[in-house]
Amino acid sequence: MKFKDEEPVKAIYYKKGNPKMTTKHWEKTHRREDWGKMIIDAMKFCLTQKYEQSEAFRQELERSKGKIIVEDQSGFTKKNPDAWGVKLQDDNFVGPNLLGRLLMELRDNGKLDYTLPADAMKFIEYLK
């Protein structure tokens, strides 16, 4: 969803090499201008799809009922966590933990509300 153009989508999905590095290369020049506004809704969409399609995922979330879910990025080399997670600092988790919060909301409500631009799924056409 991060790209509107066919060329970066095909490069990421079909070229040999590291898709993460290929994405970083294309982000500099081709990332959607509205990506920053839609990234959380894109994650909500992806989590919802996984929840609907995977009974094992649903069961694992159910097993966590009453517990706090954290996206622990303590092993990452970056000093601070990104928006999705936390890092352990002096016996405390520090960071936004957005992914953990979304997973808990999905677990507790069985759904996540999101709104995506009309062309958010256009990338799929390039992969057919």
Side-chain angles (χ1 to χ4, degrees):
M1 286 186 222
K2 192 180 279 192
F3 304 98
K4 287 183 178 181
D5 299 324
E6 185 172 3
E7 190 177 5
V9 171
K10 285 188 172 181
I12 293 161
Y13 280 85
Y14 295 132
K15 287 191 178 175
K16 292 183 180 184
N18 184 329
K20 187 173 184 176
M21 296 310 295
T22 304
T23 300
K24 285 188 178 294
H25 166 77
W26 285 98
E27 277 183 314
K28 296 172 189 169
T29 56
H30 285 76
R31 187 174 74 182
R32 296 176 65 106
E33 62 282 346
D34 59 350
W35 181 243
K37 293 177 185 173
M38 66 178 274
I39 188 171
I40 294 172
D41 283 328
M43 178 60 82
K44 287 178 176 182
F45 169 81
C46 292
L47 290 173
T48 298
Q49 294 300 303
K50 185 171 185 173
Y51 186 81
E52 291 172 357
Q53 295 174 24
S54 173
E55 185 169 343
F57 181 63
R58 288 191 304 276
Q59 289 174 350
E60 200 60 36
L61 279 181
E62 186 62 31
R63 283 181 0 112
S64 74
K65 204 89 157 160
K67 297 179 182 177
I68 296 172
I69 299 173
V70 296
E71 168 62 15
D72 184 4
Q73 297 179 344
S74 298
F76 288 20
T77 56
K78 294 188 302 185
K79 183 177 187 262
N80 297 312
D82 63 23
W84 300 110
V86 296
K87 281 195 160 211
L88 191 59
Q89 296 176 356
D90 300 322
D91 295 328
N92 294 307
F93 283 113
V94 177
N97 194 36
L98 186 54
L99 181 56
R101 290 189 286 148
L102 290 175
L103 288 168
M104 290 184 288
E105 182 181 340
L106 180 58
R107 171 195 68 200
D108 296 343
N109 299 324
K111 66 177 187 142
L112 294 170
D113 293 325
Y114 58 86
T115 304
L116 291 170
D119 63 351
M121 300 301 184
K122 186 171 178 70
F123 75 96
I124 295 171
E125 295 173 21
Y126 305 142
L127 302 175
K128 292 180 179 178

